[in-house]
Amino acid sequence: MSIEEKRIREFAYQIWESEGKPEGQESRHWDMARKLAEAESLAPKATPRKAKTKSPTLAQPAQPASKPVTVKKPRTTKKPPVA
């Protein structure tokens, strides 16, 4: 059995299962499986994509360093101790 025949058999079985395992639909399942296998063989092979990285020259220009931001705490008034 060739690899293509095995693939068609797998597709037919998956179709049969997905439809709830009906009886009397074998020829339709095999036809659908043949079409799927044919489409799969004609489809371009997928190649893994490389992660996109931004090069520093294409990225936005670097911003000049700014002064660090200082956060001022709110003033609190000290109350004199109660005697």
Side-chain angles (χ1 to χ4, degrees):
M1 183 180 299
S2 72
I3 294 173
E4 186 175 340
E5 290 171 339
K6 287 180 182 179
R7 193 70 180 137
I8 293 169
R9 179 183 290 257
E10 289 173 4
F11 278 139
Y13 184 78
Q14 291 172 355
I15 294 166
W16 176 68
E17 277 191 321
S18 71
E19 291 185 358
K21 302 179 181 179
E23 293 183 23
Q25 301 293 317
E26 296 85 7
S27 62
R28 187 174 60 83
H29 293 160
W30 283 100
D31 289 339
M32 289 173 64
R34 276 190 214 97
K35 290 176 184 177
L36 283 171
E38 183 181 329
E40 183 181 66
S41 67
L42 295 175
K45 303 294 182 211
T47 56
R49 293 184 179 183
K50 293 182 180 178
K52 292 184 180 180
T53 56
K54 291 184 180 180
S55 65
T57 57
L58 297 177
Q60 293 188 4
Q63 300 294 326
S66 60
K67 295 180 182 178
V69 178
T70 55
V71 178
K72 294 183 179 180
K73 294 182 181 177
R75 281 192 172 172
T76 57
T77 55
K78 293 185 179 179
K79 295 181 181 180
V82 180

